[in-house]
Amino acid sequence: DTGVSQDPRHKITKRGQNVTFRCDPISEHNRLYWYRQTLGQGPEFLTYFQNEAQLEKSRLLSDRFSAERPKGSFSTLEIQRTEQGDSAMYLCASSWDRGRNEQYFGPGTRLTVT
Amino acid sequence: AQSVTQPDIHITVSEGASLELRCNYSYGATPYLFWYVQSPGQGLQLLLKYFSGDTLVQGIKGFEAEFKRSQSSFNLRKPSVHWSDAAEYFCAVEGNAGNMLTFGGGTRLMVKP
């Protein structure tokens, strides 16, 4: 068990550019979550997958955001036409869906939009 | 919809002193509650969780938390704080839809030598 990994750890981009983040969950976990955390705040839920199906999306996930989990393993989160308000830490978590199981978080991707 | 309130944004304690971080939740059904800790620039590490049963739960690093339904609270405690406990602490409640978590705003703990 190597834990949840995220890549890149840091990303600086100019406003209007597209960015893509990757998350690799713990291998046996079939649920994967994305959260966004702005400075001084708690994480906010964005979306989650059960296997390859995206089952829930927050109203925070505007149409500039898209997430995929094509083979039910790793996931990508893409932000198109980035805005300064997108600057945040993007956290990925995974869990097992049997019974009540806690979510394990990755180290996050820090996005800075200049 | 569920919500979590952490009334204390910052707390400073002396090393060796006891600690209590407050958490109040709002949720219509039986809550599933968590405390996570986040060190600067890092992801979240689970300290402890409450699903059911004994209302006093033990976690890692010497932390414990007590679920009080009548007060809608889940306060985190530690009898003796170490300098390495300085971090940000988040309380969270699990919702119905896919087990998404709703977090409080966090409490930043500073430890004085």
Side-chain angles (χ1 to χ4, degrees):
Chain A
D1 178 358
T2 57
V4 178
S5 61
Q6 293 186 244
D7 183 70
R9 294 290 307 276
H10 303 274
K11 178 71 177 179
I12 300 174
T13 191
K14 293 184 178 179
R15 189 176 53 193
Q17 298 295 304
N18 300 343
V19 294
T20 300
F21 310 141
R22 176 180 170 124
C23 171
D24 287 87
I26 293 171
S27 57
E28 63 268 26
H29 286 176
N30 56 356
R31 281 190 171 164
L32 187 148
Y33 307 79
W34 285 99
Y35 293 83
R36 182 174 70 185
Q37 184 179 23
T38 52
L39 205 60
Q41 302 296 317
E44 295 173 292
F45 170 77
L46 291 178
T47 188
Y48 98 96
F49 294 83
Q50 175 132 344
N51 300 311
E52 65 274 11
Q54 188 174 17
L55 298 186
E56 185 77 14
K57 290 195 289 186
S58 162
R59 58 177 173 76
L60 294 176
L61 212 67
S62 76
D63 56 6
R64 296 185 297 105
F65 288 69
S66 63
E68 294 183 343
R69 194 183 183 197
K71 297 182 180 179
S73 57
F74 73 91
S75 174
T76 57
L77 177 68
E78 181 183 17
I79 308 174
Q80 297 183 325
R81 306 180 304 281
T82 52
E83 301 173 357
Q84 287 190 321
D86 298 330
S87 296
M89 175 81 90
Y90 291 84
L91 294 164
C92 176
S94 68
S95 74
W96 187 234
D97 72 342
R98 293 185 180 176
R100 289 292 177 179
N101 285 287
E102 62 267 26
Q103 295 177 27
Y104 291 83
F105 282 81
T109 294
R110 168 77 63 189
L111 173 66
T112 302
V113 182
T114 62
Chain B
Q2 62 265 23
S3 66
V4 177
T5 302
Q6 293 181 246
D8 304 305
I9 297 174
H10 294 99
I11 282 185
T12 301
V13 300
S14 297
E15 190 167 17
S18 63
L19 171 70
E20 182 170 29
L21 303 183
R22 296 184 291 165
C23 171
N24 293 99
Y25 67 89
S26 173
Y27 187 63
T30 301
Y32 298 95
L33 297 158
F34 305 82
W35 275 99
Y36 284 85
V37 61
Q38 186 177 37
S39 297
Q42 301 299 311
L44 298 162
Q45 181 183 21
L46 180 70
L47 285 176
L48 47 78
K49 60 191 178 188
Y50 171 77
F51 289 160
S52 64
D54 193 345
T55 56
L56 185 63
V57 294
Q58 303 296 320
I60 62 171
K61 304 185 180 186
F63 286 92
E64 67 178 25
E66 185 171 13
F67 169 61
K68 292 185 178 179
R69 184 186 298 274
S70 62
Q71 297 177 21
S72 298
S73 69
F74 188 55
N75 294 348
L76 182 71
R77 300 194 294 248
K78 186 169 185 178
S80 178
V81 169
H82 187 262
W83 64 266
S84 61
D85 293 324
E88 187 135 27
Y89 291 80
F90 292 96
C91 181
V93 64
E94 183 184 277
N96 285 328
N99 299 352
M100 56 171 274
L101 294 174
T102 299
F103 286 87
T107 297
R108 179 163 296 281
L109 174 66
M110 290 177 283
V111 181
K112 292 190 300 185

